[in-house]
Each structure stands twice: as C-alpha cells, then as structure tokens.
Amino acid sequence: MPPALTVTDALEDEELGTLGVRKTGVRANWRILAITMYVGLSLFEYGFDKGAIAGFQAMPGFLMEFGYKTPSGKWAIERTPQQIISSFMILGAFLGSLLTGPIGSRLCRRYSLMLSSIIVIISIAIMTVTTSFGALYFSRFLCGVANGLLLNFSMVYLQESAPPHMRGLCFAMVTSWITIGTTIGFIINRETSTIMNRSAYQIPLYVCYPAPAILFLTLYWLPESPRWLINHGREEEALKSLRFLRKGAYDEVALQQEFEEMRVIAAREAETQHDWRLIFELFKGTNLRRTIICVGVGTANAGVGAMFILAFGTYFFQVAEINDPFTWTIISNCIGLAGLMLTWVFITRVGRRPLILAGCIICTLCMLLMGILYSVPGISHHGSGIGLIVVVSVYLFGFNFGLEPYVYLVAGEMPAQNLRAYTMGLAAAVSFAFAWLCSFTTPYYINPTELNWGPKYGFLWFGAGLVVTLFVYIMLPEVRGRTLEEIDEMFRNKVPTKDFKTYVCMEVEHARERGAANAAAFNKLGGDEKPGETYVEDNHAVHVKA
C-alpha cells in the first residue's frame, strides 16, 4: 500500500500559484446574496417598527385608546407616553445590543437569531391585545431587546460569512429590509389611519408576524458562520460551511487560502478567555483604536439626527401643518429607498469611507437648511411646507445612500474575530443610547405644548453633524476588498489610517501560500479538478480571466 501523500509531496510534484480563483460576479456569488436577502428578513420588523409605530402617534384610532381629545375636537397624545412609546423600544435595543457578545459567545448565530425571533413574536402579541399603558411600555421594551439582538446577529453573521469583495453589497442589500419595512409600515398606516377604532393600529401590527415566524421555522437549515465554528474548535464543520458558501465562486486554492487565514486568527485568539471578561479586551492595546472607530462611526446615524426624522416624521409633518402627512412621509421614504438601491452600484467601486462621508455631509446640510426655512422672515407658510418636504426627502436619500447600511458594516469589519460580537454590540448599544436620548428629548423641542421649536430643531443637529463628519474624516480607514484577517493584521501592526489602502499584509500572504499547498494536497488526494482559470489582483480589485 503506497504511503499517504503529504502537503510537502504535493509541493514537490507541482509548482503552485499563491493565488486562487475568486469570481466576483453576481451569478457566481448567488448563494451568499440569496442568504443575505433571507437573513435580511430579521431587519424587516425593525424597519416596520420605525414606520408604523411612529405613525400611530398621528392615528385617531390609536389616540382614542392611548391619547386624549383636545377642546377643539382633535385627538392628541401627551408628552410622557409619546416619549416612552418611542424611547422604550430604543432602550430595549440598547440592552439587546449589549447582550450580543455574551449570548454570541455561547449560542451560534443561527440559534441567536431564532431566540430573537421568538421574543419579537411575544412582544407584538402583547402590543396587539393590550389596552394598558404598562403592558404597552413593556412590549415596546421587549420588542427593542429583540430588535437589538436581530440587528446585531444578522450583521455579524454576514460579516463572518460574506467574501471580502461582496461584504459592502451584502450590507447594502440586507439593510434595504429596514427601509422596505419602514415604507410598508407607512403605507399600511395610511390605509388604516381613517379607521376609528383599535383595528387602525392592530392591522399594521399583524403584518409584523410573518417575518420572525418564517425565520424561526427555517433558520435551523442555514449554514452556520464558518468563523464562529472555527473559533469554537469545529474546524471540519467550518470548512464544510465555507465550501457551501463559496461554491461556484472560489476554486479549491482560494477556499483553502481563506480557511487558512481564519485558522491563523483563531489560533492566535485561542488563549483569550471566552467568558464575560472578554469585554474588557475592547479597551486594551490596539483593540482600543478599533473600538473607538466602531463606536464613533456606529453613532453617526444618531449623530446626524436620524431619529428626529425617522421616529417623528409623520407627527412632525402634522405639526408643521402639511396636508396629508402620511402620504408625504411615504413619498419621502421612497426617495430614501431609491438612495439605498443606488448605493448598491457604488459600494463595490468606491468603498465605505467616501460614501459614509457623503451621507454625513448631505444629512448635516439638510438639518441646516431645515432650520433656515423656518427662521428667515418672508418665506410663506406654504413655501416653508414645500421646502420642508424637499429637505426631508433629500435627507433620507443621503442617509440611506451613505449611512444606514455602512455604519453597521464598519462596526463589524474593524474588530478582532473573538471580539466582533462584543464590539458590534457595544457600538450598536451606544448608538441606541444616543437615539434614545434623541427620542426622549425631541418632544420637548417640537411639541406645541413645550418649546415648540418645530423645524428650527434642525440647527441643533447641524452642529452635531459637523462633529460626526470630522470624526469620520480623521479616523475611518478604507478597507474595500480586504479580508477580515487582513484588517486584523493592519490594526495589530498599527498601520496609519491613510495607508490602509496600500498596505501589504505579509502574515496573510504566508497563510495564502499554506492554503495553496493544502489545496494541492487535496487535489492529489482525489479532490475535484478545478477549471483552468488564472487569478489577477490589482490594488485589491479582483478580475478573473478564462
């Protein structure tokens, strides 16, 4: 019986290229894109919540149960329940985000998403049947916890599963579910807003059930994150999962190279504790820089005043005396959705940094214009209303084009592998904390019974937007086309922000050489022959030639 063939024998028998075949086309990567859209269902309820629940505050059927009737005969809502309804969901999302790390260290990504889906279903059921303020507030908090977990675990799963050249597109696609959910929420609200009983808000809530139910019943068959598996010592399962995810896009050489890169990082992190104390690693050594970037960029959404527009949009239009606020909210949100769809074309060509900067600048300028519209004398009330609609529409376009998808992308790309769930959870938690602060304090500024600033509130967010834009410009590196392992190596080597695009990662190069050797041994031992293609990589843009 002949001796077993070793990797060394394979190296002696044939000359190996150090780069495998990585196809970057949509057709070759259809698996990960299909999984992206499926996992994105977990964000539908979060988006729907922002659209539907915000609209409840301008809906007579809801206000008849949880509001009061003014002397003029109109239905309104007091400041305290207005604050709690919006802010308790965000407070719950804050807690859910903080729990992402501890839960993710023990439960795999699939089971974590399944658990979160069950919590969503319970919270919606309570919200649908209750007439009690206490139960309503509890359901909002519980819904927030679930949304925090769903948001973070879906993003972490895609970070760990998508190939480097597809991560940006995957995040643009998955976050589209948030905007789609918000838009559907607005549309359904508009159709039910004239119903003068509890069905006006119960019908929109019923629409929330299918997405979490589908996920709970089907997530078991989703391939697990290969990086989570390899970090938990399940290398055979990790390779099997990676092989499924890359089938049709990577040849065996490229597959083994990526797997070897993952093994190098997992081996380095193996001695690090895996209990709750791991969170303290976020603030040590080179991890501190990563944490600052993730948290800083993660709060960009809140920093440019997104919750001001998203949580109070319909109510805000109503207070500004714009005719048919529900319809204009839908139109402006559809313009935002168009911005999100447009970004699919740019993300793989331009990168993260330019798009996030563009989003920050657009949103910041829109807040300035909003304040000016209602401060300059001589502008008619009708003209101010039209201007407000235009400004909000442009704001939502810029927000969805450059911020909504990519702050989550950055928060998941930058951390070390064993800290990814912790870091992303912390970044999301801080973002939700600022969003909660915005939701809780906004009624003081815009409610006619309080300060009654109305659109002049935009001046405050103009100042905050300038700070966010400056932070992104100074701190955020460009990592387009880089593997998570390359990003890890650059942070460990303290590469300056401006040099990330051109830095050569030697540790990753050595791992790819070992991966190529492993692939040769695999082929010699009976692996399938791969198509004869050559791989060319120029400045991290991948091209495949037949």
Side-chain angles (χ1 to χ4, degrees):
M1 187 174 182
L5 185 66
T6 66
V7 171
T8 304
D9 295 328
L11 281 168
E12 291 175 351
D13 284 350
E14 61 182 277
E15 182 180 352
L16 292 174
T18 58
L19 294 170
V21 177
R22 293 167 173 82
K23 296 180 181 179
T24 61
V26 171
R27 183 178 299 177
N29 290 275
W30 70 268
R31 286 178 182 244
I32 191 64
L33 295 178
I35 288 173
T36 295
M37 294 307 292
Y38 164 72
V39 172
L41 276 174
S42 61
L43 303 183
F44 174 84
E45 198 281 330
Y46 174 60
F48 190 91
D49 188 282
K50 291 197 294 185
I53 306 302
F56 288 177
Q57 300 175 47
M59 187 179 289
F62 179 80
L63 297 175
M64 290 169 67
E65 193 68 47
F66 298 102
Y68 68 95
K69 202 168 188 176
T70 65
S72 63
K74 294 183 179 180
W75 289 97
I77 187 169
E78 294 180 351
R79 172 174 51 81
T80 299
Q82 185 182 40
Q83 288 174 319
I84 295 177
I85 288 169
S86 297
S87 63
F88 264 39
M89 195 283 286
I90 301 171
L91 192 63
F94 170 82
L95 178 61
S97 297
L98 288 181
L99 292 173
T100 300
I103 292 175
S105 66
R106 298 183 179 276
L107 278 183
C108 67
R109 309 311 187 207
R110 293 176 301 146
Y111 291 168
S112 298
L113 288 169
M114 291 172 71
L115 172 65
S116 308
S117 299
I118 285 292
I119 300 175
V120 167
I121 293 171
I122 294 172
S123 67
I124 295 171
I126 297 173
M127 206 182 314
T128 304
V129 302
T130 188
T131 58
S132 161
F133 275 106
L136 176 65
Y137 298 157
F138 174 72
S139 68
R140 297 297 295 145
F141 178 79
L142 198 62
C143 185
V145 172
N147 278 321
L149 293 172
L150 286 170
L151 178 70
N152 283 284
F153 279 117
S154 61
M155 299 296 185
V156 169
Y157 176 85
L158 288 176
Q159 288 281 6
E160 296 175 346
S161 301
H165 55 276
M166 299 297 290
R167 277 201 312 270
L169 179 58
C170 286
F171 268 71
M173 292 174 64
V174 75
T175 50
S176 66
W177 278 105
I178 299 177
T179 309
I180 290 170
T182 304
T183 304
I184 293 175
F186 285 142
I187 292 172
I188 294 176
N189 272 9
R190 182 180 182 276
E191 296 302 315
T192 64
S193 61
T194 56
I195 300 175
M196 302 301 288
N197 56 52
R198 295 177 62 202
S199 297
Y201 68 90
Q202 287 177 328
I203 292 173
L205 288 173
Y206 294 145
V207 179
C208 294
Y209 283 112
I214 290 170
L215 287 170
F216 177 75
L217 295 173
T218 59
L219 274 167
Y220 178 81
W221 290 277
L222 182 72
E224 186 52 66
S225 155
R227 286 182 170 89
W228 187 90
L229 290 169
I230 200 169
N231 255 43
H232 287 75
R234 296 157 63 176
E235 291 193 4
E236 289 186 10
E237 294 176 63
L239 182 57
K240 182 179 179 181
S241 174
L242 187 64
R243 198 181 298 281
F244 176 87
L245 293 169
R246 301 292 185 267
K247 186 175 181 181
Y250 280 28
D251 70 351
E252 187 62 30
V253 174
L255 182 77
Q256 293 288 348
Q257 287 172 333
E258 185 170 11
F259 184 68
E260 187 63 27
E261 291 176 47
M262 294 180 190
R263 290 182 60 193
V264 170
I265 299 300
R268 177 181 293 108
E269 297 173 346
E271 296 181 1
T272 308
Q273 68 266 26
H274 288 278
D275 56 24
W276 63 270
R277 291 171 296 176
L278 196 61
I279 195 170
F280 294 114
E281 296 295 323
L282 300 178
F283 310 102
K284 295 180 180 178
T286 57
N287 287 327
L288 177 60
R289 179 188 175 192
R290 307 186 200 199
T291 303
I292 291 173
I293 294 173
C294 292
V295 172
V297 176
T299 56
N301 283 359
V304 297
M307 287 305 297
F308 169 42
I309 302 296
L310 297 173
F312 296 93
T314 306
Y315 174 81
F316 187 51
F317 280 159
Q318 186 183 53
V319 170
E321 298 182 7
I322 292 174
N323 292 329
D324 200 355
F326 282 99
T327 298
W328 284 114
T329 301
I330 294 169
I331 292 172
S332 60
N333 205 68
C334 286
I335 293 173
L337 182 58
L340 181 59
M341 298 297 184
L342 183 63
T343 199
W344 294 11
V345 179
F346 287 91
I347 184 57
T348 56
R349 295 173 171 82
V350 176
R352 296 93 167 97
R353 179 183 162 90
L355 290 180
I356 293 176
L357 277 172
C360 289
I361 292 170
I362 293 172
C363 291
T364 301
L365 291 178
C366 283
M367 286 299 187
L368 175 63
L369 291 174
M370 183 185 297
I372 292 174
L373 276 173
Y374 281 78
S375 301
V376 176
I379 301 178
S380 67
H381 188 77
H382 178 70
S384 297
I386 294 174
L388 180 62
I389 292 170
V390 172
V391 168
V392 170
S393 298
V394 174
Y395 179 96
L396 290 174
F397 179 90
F399 177 74
N400 285 282
F401 180 78
L403 283 173
E404 177 78 331
Y406 304 124
V407 295
Y408 304 116
L409 175 61
V410 168
E413 283 182 324
M414 303 297 165
Q417 172 59 32
N418 63 335
L419 297 175
R420 182 159 290 110
Y422 285 92
T423 310
M424 194 162 185
L426 176 64
V430 174
S431 177
F432 279 123
F434 278 102
W436 172 82
L437 184 63
C438 173
S439 293
F440 194 79
T441 58
T442 292
Y444 284 108
Y445 293 95
I446 67 173
N447 198 302
T449 62
E450 301 294 335
L451 292 179
N452 195 26
W453 282 14
K456 294 179 183 179
Y457 189 40
F459 283 128
L460 188 152
W461 291 111
F462 169 68
L466 289 178
V467 175
V468 170
T469 304
L470 184 62
F471 176 88
V472 171
Y473 180 78
I474 294 172
M475 296 293 294
L476 180 62
E478 180 57 64
V479 294
R480 178 174 65 96
R482 297 284 195 171
T483 66
L484 298 180
E485 288 69 29
E486 286 179 298
I487 297 170
D488 181 79
E489 183 177 340
M490 287 189 285
F491 273 111
R492 283 187 288 105
N493 292 340
K494 301 180 180 179
V495 176
T497 298
K498 62 183 179 62
D499 295 334
F500 265 62
K501 290 179 68 174
T502 57
Y503 187 81
V504 177
C505 299
M506 296 309 300
E507 183 178 282
V508 169
E509 292 298 322
H510 295 325
R512 287 174 178 171
E513 291 174 4
R514 292 193 299 272
N518 293 342
F522 175 84
N523 288 334
K524 287 291 185 180
L525 292 167
D528 295 332
E529 291 295 324
K530 303 300 178 288
E533 296 176 306
T534 60
Y535 171 95
V536 181
E537 188 174 69
D538 179 19
N539 194 26
H540 306 290
V542 181
H543 312 278
V544 176
K545 298 179 181 179

